[in-house]
Amino acid sequence: MNRVLINELEFNKPCTIKGWIEKIRDSKYMIFLVVKDITGKIQVTIEKEKMPQIVESLKGVIAHSVVSVTGTAVKSEYVKMGGQEFIPTSLEVLSVAEALPIMDDANIDNKLDYRWIDLRSDRNTLIFKVQSCFTNAMREFLVKNNFIEIHTPKLIGAASESGADVFEVKYFDRKAYLAQSPQFYKQMAMAAGFERIFESGPVFRAEQSYTNRHSTEFSGFDVEFSYIDSFEDVMNLEEDLLIYALQKTKNEYGEIVKEVFGTEIVVPKKPFPRMTLKQVYSEIVKYGYQETEEDKLDLSTEAEKLVYKLSMDKFGHEFMFITDYPKDKRAFYHMRKNGVPQGYDLIWRGVEITTGAQREHRYDKLKAQADEKGLGEDVKFYLDFFKYGCPPHGGFGLGLDRITMLLLNIPTIKEVEFIFRGPNRITP
Ligand code: 4AD
Ligand code: MG
């Protein structure tokens, strides 16, 4: 008999359901199973006297085993779970589970050793349903606006951007590297006349970071587009994109997210507040923050957290764009005006989720900026993209894992990556 998904069951119509046994309760006359599939769960009620073969086939079977059950869904006012139950005529055990190696209250690192089991919980499945909804919404928004989705190589011949934090791999008799950003190739798409592109793909960073928001491989969502007048256009597009995706996610998952994660999905209003790095520091010292020399160049982790407080206090807004970083800390490809990089970071709930910028598209200026950072030969192939005509352009890179973590108020990135990769973890 054809399999029917649990949320599509019709009453009094014989069919087969397939799924995990979430719970088994064995009483004197009855066995109750909670069977769950990706759409929902239902109680399977087995009367022992009537169904001796089923009782026999369930001998030694524990929760997390996989079953196929044929029978009929019926209304039942006694069953709490949705007021329905499934009365079986036959049951087949498709896979017998051993006793689980992890408990619900295991610490995150133990859980990650058995990630496939950890992911079975309703809560953890929900993380990925929400993430999938969010990325699909971004895709939908961009495709509607004439963006083309591309896939750039992750094996690259020269260390991109700065060279400091790339993984080296053996490439036959040569060295290659894992891309730490699609940056160069998304700009190549601009030189190729694509005008508007995006890419969702893996990003590799050989950083020994042990924070709650760093991993060595994460999912990046990158956007690049041509004929902008300034990086204001880039920020505007990012605002529209995030508003669209958050609204869609709230519509579909707002209620259940509140119930399971205890957090509200807030759809932000336009425009998001904007402040220069200098302004931020002059404001957060009022919260008792001690400014250091380093802070002139970048936002410290603590300062990032205070940006959240600042933007809530001052603007009642969860997001803030920070602009006017000094050129020493910004990539050489950011366009500069009066020496100031024409880019920004976007901070959400105290964490950087994006870096974006208008790019320098003029060959001579770009080459000079690359030389100034001592990049020379490594970026020669990239500089060539700008020799034969290239429109002004800009874009940004979003960290998807960070967005998921912040959206669901989950304390660490380890829990929101399908499989986390960090300096000490490369299995399973
Ligand atoms: O800020 P990043 O390094 O910017 C770039 O890669 C530029 N090429 C983007 C551009 O178009 N200008 O990375 C982009 C985003 C960060 O804002 C952050 O959300 C995320 O990627 N990210 C990380 N996420 C998890 N683990 C890490 N180690 C991350 N490093 C950056
Ligand atoms: Mg950044």
Side-chain angles (χ1 to χ4, degrees):
M1 208 171 293
N2 277 345
R3 178 187 184 208
V4 174
L5 291 169
I6 289 173
N7 76 345
E8 291 171 359
L9 281 172
E10 290 173 45
F11 290 126
N12 308 314
K13 196 172 160 192
C15 67
T16 298
I17 57 171
K18 296 185 185 189
W20 305 88
I21 300 179
E22 190 185 65
K23 267 186 220 140
I24 296 190
R25 189 152 62 84
D26 192 353
S27 68
K28 197 162 177 199
Y29 302 109
M30 312 285 282
I31 298 175
F32 302 99
L33 308 178
V34 175
V35 172
K36 91 169 193 179
D37 69 16
I38 199 64
T39 68
K41 36 185 108 170
I42 191 165
Q43 174 178 299
V44 175
T45 307
I46 302 150
E47 256 185 81
K48 286 186 174 175
E49 204 171 77
K50 281 195 191 156
M51 294 291 159
Q53 324 87 300
I54 295 187
V55 175
E56 187 58 33
S57 60
L58 282 174
K59 274 215 172 108
V61 170
I62 61 171
H64 285 256
S65 298
V66 181
V67 289
S68 167
V69 193
T70 300
T72 323
V74 295
K75 269 205 179 106
S76 166
E77 46 187 291
Y78 304 107
V79 181
K80 278 194 209 123
M81 267 177 44
Q84 57 174 6
E85 61 186 329
F86 197 81
I87 309 296
T89 50
S90 68
L91 180 149
E92 187 188 348
V93 179
L94 302 175
S95 165
V96 180
E98 286 184 25
L100 294 193
I102 46 165
M103 294 296 166
D104 283 347
D105 58 356
N107 77 36
I108 179 71
D109 288 297
N110 289 341
K111 284 183 174 176
L112 291 186
D113 289 339
Y114 294 96
R115 184 60 164 162
W116 67 98
I117 299 170
D118 182 43
L119 286 171
R120 285 179 196 165
S121 70
D122 293 347
R123 173 189 179 276
N124 287 349
T125 312
L126 181 60
I127 296 174
F128 295 89
K129 286 183 176 171
V130 171
Q131 188 183 63
S132 169
C133 174
F134 186 87
T135 20
N136 273 328
M138 289 206 288
R139 244 194 203 103
E140 190 177 277
F141 174 89
L142 292 166
V143 169
K144 267 191 206 163
N145 284 288
N146 300 306
F147 281 75
I148 303 171
E149 180 166 9
I150 62 168
H151 304 280
T152 64
K154 303 305 156 204
L155 274 172
I156 56 177
S160 61
E161 303 211 4
S162 70
D165 48 7
V166 292
F167 287 109
E168 208 176 278
V169 293
K170 189 168 137 35
Y171 193 73
F172 307 110
D173 56 355
R174 283 187 291 159
K175 270 186 203 159
Y177 306 89
L178 295 178
Q180 45 134 265
S181 157
Q183 187 62 37
F184 289 175
Y185 295 104
K186 63 181 187 161
Q187 289 191 256
M188 191 189 98
M190 300 301 100
F194 282 27
E195 287 199 28
R196 297 169 172 217
I197 62 97
F198 69 99
E199 170 167 17
S200 173
V203 175
F204 303 92
R205 303 274 167 109
E207 287 166 9
Q208 302 261 2
S209 297
Y210 300 88
T211 75
N212 70 333
R213 62 213 145 78
H214 285 90
S215 52
T216 50
E217 178 177 356
F218 63 92
S219 298
F221 196 99
D222 273 83
V223 174
E224 199 74 21
F225 60 113
S226 287
Y227 302 107
I228 61 170
D229 292 323
S230 82
F231 73 105
E232 277 290 334
D233 294 337
V234 182
M235 293 194 285
N236 271 327
L237 181 90
E238 184 166 10
E239 287 174 340
D240 290 337
L241 176 70
L242 288 172
I243 288 170
Y244 185 90
L246 285 169
Q247 183 67 63
K248 198 122 201 203
T249 309
K250 187 182 176 78
N251 294 350
E252 279 188 40
Y253 288 100
E255 283 304 312
I256 181 99
V257 163
K258 206 188 293 172
E259 197 183 307
V260 175
F261 297 100
T263 188
E264 188 90 31
I265 298 179
V266 180
V267 181
K269 296 244 174 341
K270 258 184 100 154
F272 297 5
R274 291 146 163 74
M275 273 197 183
T276 65
L277 186 65
K278 238 198 195 130
Q279 282 170 336
V280 166
Y281 279 112
S282 74
E283 290 280 345
I284 63 173
V285 289
K286 295 178 194 159
Y287 295 141
Y289 182 81
Q290 305 269 328
E291 204 180 348
T292 65
E293 269 307 297
E294 284 259 289
D295 289 342
K296 297 214 165 70
L297 300 175
D298 208 351
L299 270 188
S300 65
T301 307
E302 200 197 334
E304 244 172 42
K305 288 192 183 127
L306 289 173
V307 163
Y308 183 28
K309 180 169 164 52
L310 176 63
S311 87
M312 288 304 284
D313 286 353
K314 218 174 155 84
F315 307 98
H317 208 285
E318 294 188 348
F319 290 83
M320 191 180 310
F321 285 119
I322 316 238
T323 65
D324 294 52
Y325 286 83
K327 64 181 167 51
D328 307 24
K329 273 282 177 171
R330 295 273 118 172
F332 73 97
Y333 52 79
H334 286 196
M335 183 181 271
R336 296 175 193 163
K337 245 183 210 148
N338 304 320
V340 181
Q342 299 297 291
Y344 65 88
D345 274 5
L346 178 58
I347 313 294
W348 184 28
R349 298 180 171 174
V351 178
E352 177 202 320
I353 57 163
T354 293
T355 294
Q358 172 159 18
R359 323 301 185 187
E360 182 51 75
H361 64 283
R362 296 160 296 186
Y363 177 81
D364 294 335
K365 288 200 157 53
L366 186 60
K367 183 167 185 324
Q369 290 181 189
D371 288 346
E372 180 198 294
K373 298 233 181 205
L375 293 169
E377 269 310 291
D378 265 1
V379 297
K380 191 182 166 303
F381 80 99
Y382 163 75
L383 295 175
D384 284 348
F385 299 162
F386 305 93
K387 260 187 176 168
Y388 310 99
C390 182
H393 62 277
F396 54 88
L398 275 164
L400 268 182
D401 317 85
R402 287 191 186 177
I403 289 189
T404 310
M405 163 182 138
L406 296 165
L407 181 67
L408 301 177
N409 193 28
I410 288 173
T412 162
I413 199 164
K414 289 181 177 180
E415 279 190 57
V416 300
E417 293 196 342
F418 181 69
I419 292 192
F420 171 73
R421 286 282 178 262
N424 293 332
R425 180 172 286 278
I426 191 129
T427 54

